[in-house]
Amino acid sequence: MPEAEGLKETIAVEEAAEPSTQYCTFRFENELYGIEIDQIQEIINLQRIFPVPRAPNYIMGVINLRGNIVPVIDIKPILKLPLWKQDVNSRIVLINAENVIVGIVVDEIGDVVSLTGSKIEPLDIKQDDERSKFLMGISKLPDKVLVILDARRIIDDTKLGAA
Amino acid sequence: MAKSFDKSAIIEFFLIEAGDHLTNLNNNLLVLENDPRNIELIDSLFRDAHTLKGSSAMMGFGIISDVSHRAEDILESARSGQLTPDRDIMNFLFEVLDTVKILLDDISSGRKEDATLRDAINRKYEILINREKTEEKVEADDESIERVYKSLDKIFVEKEGQESDVVDMEGAFKEVEEEKEEAIEDVPAKIERPMDSRHAGRRVADVSDLEKRVIRVQIDQLSNLMNLVGELVVNRNRLIGQLEHVKDIRDELVKGKARLLKVVKDFESKYEFSMSPMSFSSTGKKSSEAKSSSGHLESFHELEFDRYDDFNLLSRKLVEITNDMSEIMESLSDFFNKIDEGTLHISKITTNLQQEITSVRMVEIEKLFQRFSRLVRDVSQSENKKVRLEFVGGETKIDKAIFELISDPLVHIIRNAISHGIEMPHDRKLSGKDDTGVVFVRAYQEGNNVVIEIGDDGKGIDPDSVREAAVEKGYIAKSEEKTLTDEDAINLIFLPGFSTSKEISAISGRGVGMDVVRTNITKMNGQIEVHTEIGLGTKFIIKLPATLAVSQALIIKSMEQEFAVPLNLIDETTRISQRDIDYVAGSEVINLRNKIIPFIRLNNILNLDVKKEVSRSSTELYPTLILKLADKKIALMVDEIIVQEEIVVKGMGNYLKNIGLFSGAAISGEGNVRFIIDTASLIEESLLTGKKAVGVKTSLRPEEKASDAAAASTVKKREMLLEKPKVIIVDDSISIRKYVSHFLTRAGYEVEVASDGFEALNKIGQTKVDLIVTDLEMPVMHGYELIAELKRVPDLSKIPIIVLTSRAGEKHRQKAFEMGAQEYVVKPFEEDVLIESIKKLLK
């Protein structure tokens, strides 16, 4: 996976006085996304997902996480990307969003990157695009553009009965 | 007061403590009402009010403090004999209790205290005081509370900057108590409290003594514990299942060992010693070699000297190895037995643990009864009725979670009993009854259930007036009125929005109907029944599970997925064929013992995208659950009923909370998630929406009944979709059986195994098999015999057969095809090859 290797070299972003935030990165096909590390509880291997009948298409189902029922969602359709497909390096990223743990499926986990606020640029997207509230900005890494997501917001907004 | 003081943890304790004081006050006030001159009681009331005042003031809840101060003042006067607790005073005190309760609720839900409540109490207090004309005393008390505040300020100032933990707070509490005790000394009531300081000291000691034995635990923590124990139970069951499997292997091992020993013995007896060279016809060469190597012995007669050739040596070696193997198998077998014992032990401990933790969550229902005394008093007073409340079985224990959930429904039923059931005293006398009505609450344990009966000896429910009201409100048609049995008519009271009372009174008609009562009870997996007799009274019987954490459910399969259906609403299970299904207004119904009930296919409810499944073969029997909620029944068709099991109920979590159709999930022994079907709402919705769009907010497509004709041709295909094809593997080798069944199961087939043709025939006779995979060489009945037998029976002759053998010869192959086998696979083989053949034949 060239993307992942490229990433490894980018870990050390300058450590200036400006406070930096750590982001866990992951891949959807050729695109790189990042989620603030504070929002992530843990990353697990793909395991059997039990589909929830009648749930919307982005809800893949639930997993049995050490005896707890944890929903797993595919955020790709929410971001207007094609549906997620399982791959050898697929993982589930468990997001911790105020009393709810929700897993999201990703193609592959990349490295953790540290970014200062000035490294993150606002995204050029129309305000009325419903995705805009989920996208916190982009950051140009040496060989790739990182799109930073607000995973908690995605979970809050896609919760059943939220709308 | 100190701003930086972090009280959040202590507020929790304060709320618990205040709750206890309120309960004490409530109970004692009720007793006092009948015994107004009981000084001891007044004393105890005073102490509770006093402590409540003190601790709330210290926590900074000035309004609770002020309000309880008013109660304290009144009780003070009562204690000193200045006034006698009459009805007005009692009502005032009860009102104070209610106010404090509201204020505590405010605090626990994070709101500010409502200051207007204090004003209301103060106004009423003034009225009472003016009536009693005891102004001087009030002044004195005001003075004393001012001093208390001062001392409080002092404490907080002193404590400021220090680390504030509970111990500190306790110290502070004590200080306040003491200061306040002193302040109260001024009050002219010394005679009643002779040894004040010692009294106070003892009280503190009592508390710490209690603390030594009792610890308060958050209900959430207990629930977590319960959840873990549930997991333990489920995993234990899984372990036991696996152990059964190990036992099977052990048995196979023992059998294998016996066979091996026998063969080796035979071999040994034949070849232990050399025999005449003539007997080795096939191995002549070897034997001659042996001979040449032992050339020196040619002069001996055969019986004169044991001569060993390769065969003899092989035989001896074989015997040795077999003996070694046998010993290893023996110790392996012993080891299995020991694991077995260990598991049994763990199993017992788990069961005990489960029982113990369950019992920790149990509360005596007596505590619930106490809440009703006050209710009955208030309601009967406002309705001018005389009512006596009777409790039986207060010692019955019930899960704390249920305890809280059942409280409101019971309150509602009791209100109803008093305002609708019990007659006015005058009317009661006319009908020859005692003028005091009786409302009784009885609780008792019945198996895994707790039964609560609530009844009255009032006028009962008149089925005719229920019928009338039902017609009037449009619940039933005028024509239905006559056909409805009395029982069915009474059950109409459980319909949403139904209430027989002509006018809505403030007390009984609070917008919550019997339907809400019933819904709440079914949510807890409980049931409610009503029995009534005109003129004699009404009785509600509520059956509740003793615990919510573990419940009984039927595991069913639908759309290739397992689901759990709570047992409480399953009336019966049955099998329905296509012929039994009728249509009413486009919806499927069945006739169950002369009652038409909606027929619902779970597959259709679960799957919105796939075309409606209209029919299968007309003779096939569909497994169907009859669900019953009060008098309403529906038939729910599933693909398969698997087993009845104990499940640990888990919530769906916040994210999926609004999924609707499922009330939670359970995890099977294998770790699979099974959703729990919310049967109560399934029934409700299927009836409300005219049976069609069951539990679905998005309505189902209208084209549902279009393809009746097309259905017949797709019958076969559907069956395949719905049920896993069953394959039987016949082979005398256990490893082949295990291996093949493993990968076939994984490939989505249901697998049976048999170790020879005879066993296979037996199994095929018992269950329907879609395909047979058989070996050729087997003991008892070999493969060709099996094929011949199968072809002889018309029912079985159509089942496709795959021969799986190590015989690669054309002769064997030819014979198999001649006899009627469809495929011939030679061992060793590729998994894919076999699966492909199976797929091809099952098409």
Side-chain angles (χ1 to χ4, degrees):
Chain A
M1 299 294 138
E3 290 83 11
E5 268 152 35
L7 260 178
K8 266 173 202 125
E9 293 152 27
T10 68
I11 307 172
V13 183
E14 75 260 35
E15 284 166 42
E18 202 185 342
S20 63
T21 311
Q22 289 191 307
Y23 296 89
C24 173
T25 64
F26 58 87
R27 192 171 60 77
F28 278 146
E29 284 164 79
N30 288 320
E31 295 175 37
L32 196 63
Y33 290 85
I35 292 175
E36 217 177 284
I37 224 157
D38 285 353
Q39 301 192 350
I40 294 176
Q41 164 158 316
E42 64 180 301
I43 293 162
I44 57 170
N45 282 327
L46 208 60
Q47 50 163 295
R48 180 153 173 208
I49 299 175
F50 298 87
V52 184
R54 307 198 318 180
N57 73 334
Y58 61 84
I59 295 180
M60 302 199 53
V62 300
I63 55 169
N64 166 10
L65 182 73
R66 299 182 289 270
N68 291 311
I69 307 288
V70 173
V72 173
I73 62 171
D74 176 7
I75 60 169
K76 288 180 72 181
I78 297 166
L79 301 172
K80 308 226 167 108
L81 297 169
L83 284 177
W84 174 84
K85 280 198 200 72
Q86 187 178 336
D87 200 356
V88 272
N89 290 315
S90 295
R91 295 283 184 280
I92 300 174
V93 179
L94 298 174
I95 308 293
N96 185 348
E98 289 171 50
N99 308 325
V100 228
I101 307 283
V102 175
I104 61 176
V105 281
V106 302
D107 288 352
E108 186 183 20
I109 293 292
D111 290 300
V112 173
V113 296
S114 261
L115 295 174
T116 56
S118 58
K119 284 272 173 191
I120 300 170
E121 300 160 27
L123 206 65
D124 191 16
I125 184 168
K126 280 196 210 105
Q127 273 302 308
D128 57 350
D129 188 322
E130 56 191 74
R131 285 175 294 179
S132 64
K133 56 187 177 189
F134 302 139
L135 305 171
M136 297 173 86
I138 56 166
S139 183
K140 291 191 185 83
L141 301 181
D143 58 347
K144 199 88 196 164
V145 173
L146 179 70
V147 181
I148 294 166
L149 297 176
D150 187 348
R152 277 191 190 144
R153 184 73 195 266
I154 294 180
I155 285 162
D156 272 358
D157 284 25
T158 57
K159 183 152 61 183
L160 282 189
Chain B
M1 280 191 205
K3 254 199 317 204
S4 61
F5 199 83
D6 176 23
K7 286 182 291 193
S8 60
I10 307 156
I11 287 176
E12 195 85 46
F13 283 104
F14 165 72
L15 287 173
I16 295 169
E17 190 212 6
D20 285 353
H21 288 308
L22 277 187
T23 315
N24 287 345
L25 285 166
N26 190 41
N27 291 343
N28 288 338
L29 278 181
L30 285 165
V31 181
L32 188 70
E33 200 166 29
N34 297 321
D35 186 8
R37 305 207 178 267
N38 189 333
I39 289 295
E40 235 173 348
L41 212 58
I42 297 176
D43 228 307
S44 151
L45 282 164
F46 173 82
R47 275 200 304 273
D48 276 309
H50 171 73
T51 317
L52 187 61
K53 181 189 75 176
S55 53
S56 51
M58 200 187 54
M59 293 303 298
F61 300 127
I63 295 174
I64 294 187
S65 175
D66 289 359
V67 168
S68 24
H69 188 196
R70 294 294 165 227
E72 191 195 353
D73 286 346
I74 293 285
L75 287 162
E76 178 74 32
S77 312
R79 206 167 60 149
S80 60
Q82 285 173 0
L83 54 84
T84 324
D86 57 13
R87 192 158 156 172
D88 284 345
I89 291 193
M90 291 309 292
N91 282 345
F92 175 74
L93 290 172
F94 275 125
E95 204 165 335
V96 168
L97 286 195
D98 288 349
T99 308
V100 172
K101 201 152 177 243
I102 295 167
L103 291 167
L104 286 174
D105 284 348
D106 280 350
I107 291 165
S108 74
S109 48
R111 285 190 300 269
K112 274 211 151 119
E113 294 166 278
D114 186 350
T116 58
L117 291 170
R118 168 171 57 188
D119 302 337
I121 289 290
N122 278 345
R123 270 198 305 279
K124 290 199 172 122
Y125 176 73
E126 290 306 325
I127 295 167
L128 266 185
I129 286 303
N130 287 337
R131 200 189 67 168
E132 302 291 337
K133 295 185 185 75
T134 50
E135 281 95 340
E136 342 86 73
K137 255 207 71 344
V138 180
E139 264 169 52
D141 269 331
D142 276 349
E143 207 175 284
S144 86
I145 195 145
E146 225 170 82
R147 279 167 53 190
V148 170
Y149 275 132
K150 265 185 206 144
S151 67
L152 276 170
D153 282 346
K154 198 176 76 203
I155 290 159
F156 277 107
V157 170
E158 278 166 10
K159 298 284 173 199
E160 199 169 17
Q162 288 181 21
E163 219 188 281
S164 52
D165 56 19
V166 182
V167 180
D168 265 348
M169 285 307 290
E170 261 173 7
F173 257 107
K174 224 179 262 178
E175 247 172 276
V176 174
E177 293 288 323
E178 276 160 19
E179 298 234 4
K180 282 171 41 86
E181 295 292 345
E182 278 165 32
I184 285 151
E185 295 278 313
D186 300 342
V187 177
K190 275 182 191 163
I191 334 103
E192 304 292 338
R193 323 174 60 205
M195 290 173 290
D196 232 341
S197 55
R198 225 203 285 170
H199 198 204
R202 199 176 67 211
R203 193 168 49 188
V204 173
D206 280 349
V207 169
S208 63
D209 214 34
L210 191 73
E211 275 172 358
K212 272 181 211 153
R213 289 181 289 113
V214 177
I215 178 167
R216 283 182 200 265
V217 180
Q218 296 264 341
I219 194 99
D220 282 356
Q221 278 177 302
L222 267 185
S223 301
N224 285 344
L225 218 53
M226 200 60 215
N227 202 359
L228 287 175
V229 171
E231 279 317 310
L232 200 61
V233 171
V234 167
N235 277 292
R236 175 199 65 190
N237 294 346
R238 175 167 151 205
L239 197 64
I240 288 173
Q242 282 173 338
L243 217 64
E244 284 301 315
H245 186 59
V246 168
K247 272 188 201 155
D248 286 348
I249 295 176
R250 186 191 59 194
D251 291 346
E252 296 268 0
L253 200 65
V254 171
K255 270 190 219 156
K257 187 184 84 176
R259 280 213 325 262
L260 183 63
L261 276 179
K262 187 173 172 297
V263 172
V264 170
K265 262 244 148 53
D266 289 351
F267 191 74
E268 187 190 17
S269 61
K270 270 191 197 153
Y271 302 119
E272 189 172 15
F273 304 106
S274 68
M275 294 185 186
S276 71
M278 302 308 291
S279 61
F280 297 97
S281 56
S282 60
T283 49
K285 192 169 164 254
K286 273 187 187 163
S287 107
S288 64
E289 269 171 15
K291 247 187 193 165
S292 61
S293 68
S294 55
H296 304 290
L297 303 168
E298 268 159 40
S299 53
F300 288 106
H301 184 265
E302 199 178 326
L303 296 173
E304 282 175 325
F305 192 90
D306 285 348
R307 266 166 284 198
Y308 297 102
D309 56 19
D310 281 358
F311 245 102
N312 304 138
L313 290 172
L314 180 68
S315 158
R316 299 221 153 195
K317 266 257 150 57
L318 211 54
V319 171
E320 263 170 45
I321 295 170
T322 310
N323 286 339
D324 286 354
M325 287 297 288
S326 167
E327 249 166 61
I328 294 168
M329 287 177 180
E330 204 72 54
S331 47
L332 206 58
S333 187
D334 280 355
F335 177 66
F336 283 157
N337 287 338
K338 276 195 191 119
I339 291 184
D340 215 19
E341 276 170 34
T343 318
L344 198 72
H345 196 58
I346 289 176
S347 171
K348 271 187 196 153
I349 294 172
T350 315
T351 312
N352 285 346
L353 191 64
Q354 188 189 8
Q355 282 166 355
E356 284 294 320
I357 292 189
T358 312
S359 75
V360 168
R361 282 172 56 105
M362 300 294 236
V363 204
E364 287 187 355
I365 207 159
E366 178 81 46
K367 291 219 168 70
L368 194 60
F369 289 173
Q370 286 166 5
R371 298 185 187 174
F372 301 146
S373 314
R374 173 73 193 284
L375 173 85
V376 170
R377 175 192 176 274
D378 287 356
V379 178
S380 51
Q381 209 175 78
S382 80
E383 301 240 334
N384 288 319
K385 288 176 181 174
K386 288 187 179 170
V387 179
R388 189 173 76 240
L389 189 60
E390 283 179 3
F391 291 133
V392 185
E395 70 288 347
T396 312
K397 289 194 168 182
I398 193 160
D399 193 295
K400 176 77 175 163
I402 297 177
F403 181 93
E404 293 301 336
L405 289 170
I406 194 65
S407 181
D408 284 350
L410 291 187
V411 163
H412 187 78
I413 294 175
I414 291 175
R415 278 177 204 278
N416 272 345
I418 298 168
S419 53
H420 301 316
I422 303 285
E423 310 92 328
M424 298 304 282
H426 175 70
D427 296 336
R428 286 185 66 88
K429 273 197 175 143
L430 280 183
S431 51
K433 292 181 188 174
D434 193 288
D435 64 344
T436 303
V438 175
V439 170
F440 62 87
V441 183
R442 258 179 241 146
Y444 54 93
Q445 180 107 21
E446 192 186 84
N448 277 331
N449 289 316
V450 169
V451 182
I452 302 174
E453 296 181 1
I454 307 165
D456 60 67
D457 66 344
K459 56 177 181 261
I461 304 171
D462 181 3
D464 283 332
S465 71
V466 176
R467 280 196 190 97
E468 230 170 83
V471 173
E472 199 177 301
K473 290 176 185 166
Y475 286 97
I476 54 170
K478 186 90 187 143
S479 54
E480 274 181 278
E481 195 186 337
K482 292 279 172 290
T483 58
L484 220 55
T485 63
D486 283 0
E487 204 190 322
D488 286 343
I490 298 289
N491 273 318
L492 290 173
I493 61 166
F494 290 116
L495 286 178
F498 198 98
S499 163
T500 49
S501 98
K502 296 257 154 51
E503 73 271 32
I504 304 286
S505 70
I507 284 170
S508 33
R510 287 210 175 169
V512 215
M514 288 305 292
D515 61 313
V516 177
V517 169
R518 190 187 61 184
T519 310
N520 285 344
I521 289 170
T522 30
K523 281 224 173 84
M524 292 174 248
N525 289 332
Q527 282 170 296
I528 182 166
E529 274 172 36
V530 56
H531 298 275
T532 187
E533 205 139 330
I534 298 175
L536 292 179
T538 307
K539 180 163 83 171
F540 287 90
I541 301 177
I542 300 170
K543 237 181 230 183
L544 296 166
T547 173
L548 277 183
V550 180
S551 64
Q552 292 284 332
L554 207 60
I555 307 300
I556 55 115
K557 200 183 241 178
S558 187
M559 300 298 292
E560 293 297 307
Q561 214 175 334
E562 287 181 5
F563 298 92
V565 184
L567 218 53
N568 67 316
L569 292 186
I570 300 178
D571 203 36
E572 58 181 304
T573 62
T574 177
R575 286 177 170 269
I576 301 291
S577 83
Q578 185 63 39
R579 279 184 304 224
D580 299 327
I581 301 173
D582 277 321
Y583 292 90
V584 168
S587 302
E588 289 180 312
V589 297
I590 58 163
N591 185 338
L592 185 81
R593 290 186 288 277
N594 291 326
K595 215 171 162 178
I596 301 294
I597 63 173
F599 179 79
I600 290 156
R601 296 163 193 258
L602 187 54
N603 285 357
N604 291 345
I605 294 172
L606 294 178
N607 198 337
L608 287 171
D609 305 325
V610 166
K611 282 251 151 50
K612 284 213 129 189
E613 188 204 25
V614 179
S615 106
R616 295 204 234 166
S617 108
S618 64
T619 52
E620 195 183 342
L621 293 168
Y622 314 144
T624 301
L625 316 178
I626 306 297
L627 306 177
K628 185 184 173 193
L629 184 60
D631 62 326
K632 294 297 167 201
K633 283 185 182 179
I634 62 166
L636 183 70
M637 182 198 126
V638 300
D639 285 344
E640 198 184 327
I641 296 174
I642 300 171
V643 72
Q644 181 182 332
E645 226 176 65
E646 243 182 18
I647 57 166
V648 181
V649 179
K650 290 165 196 286
M652 294 288 279
N654 255 333
Y655 192 79
L656 294 174
K657 203 166 57 190
N658 292 318
I659 186 77
L661 183 60
F662 308 113
S663 57
I667 293 175
S668 78
E670 297 76 41
N672 296 340
V673 177
R674 296 160 170 164
F675 298 108
I676 301 166
I677 292 175
D678 186 351
T679 38
S681 52
L682 191 73
I683 299 172
E684 298 272 347
E685 286 174 47
S686 69
L687 295 167
L688 279 180
T689 55
K691 299 141 210 151
K692 214 175 275 179
V694 180
V696 196
K697 274 162 204 117
T698 29
S699 65
L700 292 172
R701 295 135 320 255
E703 80 269 20
E704 56 193 43
K705 239 202 87 193
S707 52
D708 250 324
S713 64
T714 55
V715 165
K716 186 81 190 152
K717 216 161 127 200
R718 270 185 213 291
E719 273 179 306
M720 301 262 309
L721 273 175
L722 293 163
E723 275 168 38
K724 286 186 191 168
K726 196 182 241 173
V727 176
I728 186 163
I729 296 152
V730 195
D731 202 306
D732 58 336
S733 153
I734 181 177
S735 51
I736 293 283
R737 289 202 301 270
K738 295 266 175 256
Y739 169 63
V740 177
S741 58
H742 180 74
F743 77 72
L744 284 187
T745 311
R746 220 180 38 210
Y749 296 96
E750 204 178 322
V751 180
E752 272 286 344
V753 290
S755 59
D756 60 63
F758 189 69
E759 194 185 339
L761 272 183
N762 272 338
K763 289 209 167 155
I764 296 168
Q766 282 160 15
T767 54
K768 188 176 150 286
V769 171
D770 299 299
L771 187 134
I772 298 160
V773 176
T774 180
D775 191 10
L776 287 178
E777 286 140 310
M778 290 177 291
V780 190
M781 180 189 276
H782 59 65
Y784 290 128
E785 280 176 310
L786 172 65
I787 299 174
E789 277 300 316
L790 287 169
K791 295 299 166 196
R792 230 166 38 79
V793 185
D795 275 359
L796 306 178
S797 64
K798 298 235 164 51
I799 306 176
I801 298 168
I802 296 176
V803 172
L804 181 68
T805 174
S806 47
R807 292 282 176 193
E810 193 50 40
K811 202 173 148 195
H812 288 90
R813 183 190 296 265
Q814 204 55 45
K815 185 162 166 76
F817 283 127
E818 269 168 28
M819 294 192 68
Q822 275 81 4
E823 280 287 335
Y824 195 94
V825 179
V826 178
K827 299 180 207 167
F829 61 98
E830 298 279 324
E831 288 179 20
D832 293 347
V833 174
L834 188 63
I835 291 178
E836 270 314 306
S837 316
I838 291 174
K839 270 192 193 153
K840 201 176 78 195
L841 289 175
L842 282 177
K843 246 179 208 164

